Amino acid sequence: MGDIVHKSRITIVRENGPTRRAIIEGLDEPVYYGVHGGIKKFYKVEPDKEHAATLDHIVAATAA
């Protein structure tokens, strides 16, 4: 087994409704998650502000 090169330290805080704020150690700005487009329609919610969903980030990360 190799050496650990990185350990993610993230705190997730639920904001308003489906909006969540991720505080990622080492980054200056938080990352916001939420719903938009078809995802908000699926969950039948109308957020104050639309944000990328966690699914968007997973797809982007695996496509990179």
Side-chain angles (χ1 to χ4, degrees), residues 14 16-20 33-53:
R14 180 173 291 278
N16 186 21
T19 302
R20 286 155 286 133
Y33 296 101
V35 294
H36 66 99
I39 298 170
K40 71 177 187 179
K41 289 179 185 175
F42 176 81
Y43 287 111
K44 299 176 181 162
V45 294
E46 189 60 48
D48 293 337
K49 184 176 180 181
E50 296 185 7
H51 294 283

Side-chain angles (χ1 to χ4, degrees), residues 4-64:
I4 296 172
V5 295
H6 180 75
K7 185 174 182 179
S8 295
R9 291 188 173 87
I10 303 170
T11 301
I12 305 291
V13 178
R14 180 173 291 278
E15 298 276 311
N16 186 21
T19 302
R20 286 155 286 133
R21 177 171 40 98
I23 300 150
I24 303 170
E25 184 179 278
L27 296 181
D28 295 332
E29 300 289 327
V31 176
Y32 287 89
Y33 296 101
V35 294
H36 66 99
I39 298 170
K40 71 177 187 179
K41 289 179 185 175
F42 176 81
Y43 287 111
K44 299 176 181 162
V45 294
E46 189 60 48
D48 293 337
K49 184 176 180 181
E50 296 185 7
H51 294 283
T54 52
L55 177 62
D56 296 315
H57 287 268
I58 292 168
V59 170
T62 55

